[in-house]
Amino acid sequence: MFLTREAKILDGTPNYLVIEDIGEIDSAKHFKEILNELKKYIMEKGIQSVSIILNEQQAEYARYIELLEEFSFQKQDTQFFYRRDLSGFEDVEMETPFSVKSLEETTSDVFLKTWMEASAGSLNASAPFTSLPAQKEFEGMQAELGVNYQKSCLVIFYGHQAIGVTMPQIEQGTVDEGRLFYFGIVPDFRGKGLGESIHKLSLHLLKQMGAAYYIGATGQHNIPMQRIFEANACELIERKFIYRLKDGVK
């Protein structure tokens, strides 16, 4: 497997593979070796969606960009990464008529339907695997998170109507880094100020799961989500650049 020191890989094989951090690479030659190993792995596993994310310093190396282009990767977008310490985060409760149900308390059909509706018209089209249908993302998430994936699949209800989803998890390979695999609200309930409250509740759920801090990301064009981060005291820590393997190229 194409591993380097400090590398971070989100492996939802065969649906998606995201190299979120390429780790410690000492030369362009080393990077090319990694890309060759990656190419073999992609072909062997038949992976549908593959992305590599570079930080600002890495993206300044012209040879890295040339190599990505040689291996049929193209720049997809810029992502903004935010961080919030959860140690002093105050507990919050969802007020009625809102409620939260996990996949253990509702059906996968309801969860997937709500996820697909929440994805419709999303400004976060820069996410590394948004080219996949929700069903494929769901299958990849199960592979990535393992047996406890159901606890991370939550549907937000307004009365009896599902209005959004949130997917809190402890990031793989860490003990206390909180992430949201996905967070979104269905179109009919957007623009009503609910995003900030539901995101804040999601941070509370992460703290309950044992997260000491939260890392969130959104595309440069998703201004509403950036405002939600800011409203919930999340600090912009860095910008990263998504390079995605062109469709149909392996």
Side-chain angles (χ1 to χ4, degrees):
M1 185 76 167
F2 41 92
L3 293 178
T4 61
R5 282 175 55 90
E6 304 300 325
K8 189 171 187 179
I9 298 175
L10 310 181
D11 194 347
T13 300
N15 295 292
Y16 64 79
L17 184 77
V18 181
I19 302 182
E20 193 175 62
D21 192 328
I22 61 176
E24 297 180 8
I25 294 179
D26 52 29
S27 65
K29 179 182 177 182
H30 186 195
F31 190 37
K32 186 173 183 177
E33 292 171 356
I34 295 295
L35 291 174
N36 272 315
E37 290 182 45
L38 175 62
K39 182 178 180 180
K40 293 176 184 176
Y41 186 77
I42 293 168
M43 294 179 67
E44 177 188 340
K45 301 296 184 179
I47 303 172
Q48 298 181 43
S49 177
V50 182
S51 297
I52 295 176
I53 300 177
L54 301 184
N55 62 33
E56 291 182 278
Q57 182 179 11
Q58 293 160 348
E60 290 177 354
Y61 296 155
R63 185 57 183 143
Y64 280 13
I65 306 306
E66 290 170 0
L67 284 169
L68 285 171
E69 291 173 350
E70 286 177 24
F71 280 81
S72 300
F73 284 85
Q74 60 185 2
K75 186 177 179 181
Q76 184 178 12
D77 206 349
T78 301
Q79 276 201 316
F80 294 174
F81 279 72
Y82 291 79
R83 188 184 193 280
R84 161 135 194 192
D85 178 26
L86 298 178
S87 59
F89 188 69
E90 296 181 1
D91 290 348
V92 296
E93 294 183 3
M94 181 68 82
E95 297 180 0
T96 55
F98 295 99
S99 60
V100 181
K101 293 183 180 180
S102 72
L103 198 56
E104 297 171 314
E105 301 167 299
T106 186
T107 67
S108 58
D109 287 343
V110 170
F111 174 73
L112 281 171
K113 180 177 182 294
T114 310
W115 187 357
M116 286 188 287
E117 289 178 356
S119 301
S122 171
L123 295 173
N124 211 29
S126 65
F129 33 75
T130 46
S131 61
L132 292 174
Q135 176 65 45
K136 293 299 182 182
E137 281 194 59
F138 183 47
E139 293 171 4
M141 184 187 71
Q142 292 177 53
E144 183 184 338
L145 299 186
V147 295
N148 292 321
Y149 77 92
Q150 290 183 322
K151 299 183 186 301
S152 292
C153 299
L154 307 179
V155 182
I156 310 297
F157 287 86
Y158 181 84
H160 297 291
Q161 182 174 358
I163 66 167
V165 295
T166 185
M167 305 182 199
Q169 65 178 80
I170 299 298
E171 182 71 354
Q172 299 299 294
T174 75
V175 296
D176 58 0
E177 180 179 308
R179 294 281 190 111
L180 298 180
F181 185 90
Y182 186 82
F183 167 83
I185 298 173
V186 301
D188 286 349
F189 284 83
R190 293 175 189 160
K192 301 179 184 297
L194 299 176
E196 179 182 337
S197 297
I198 296 174
H199 183 259
K200 189 173 184 179
L201 175 69
S202 301
L203 299 185
H204 167 65
L205 295 172
L206 284 172
K207 184 179 179 181
Q208 284 187 328
M209 294 172 73
Y213 63 97
Y214 163 67
I215 299 292
T218 193
Q220 62 178 335
H221 301 298
N222 194 343
I223 305 301
M225 191 65 216
Q226 292 171 33
R227 289 173 177 163
I228 288 173
F229 282 134
E230 292 165 1
N232 283 327
C234 300
E235 178 186 1
L236 178 65
I237 55 172
E238 62 181 331
R239 293 171 177 81
K240 292 188 177 182
F241 306 90
I242 302 173
Y243 289 83
R244 185 170 175 273
L245 187 64
K246 294 176 184 177
D247 289 338
V249 177
K250 297 288 187 289

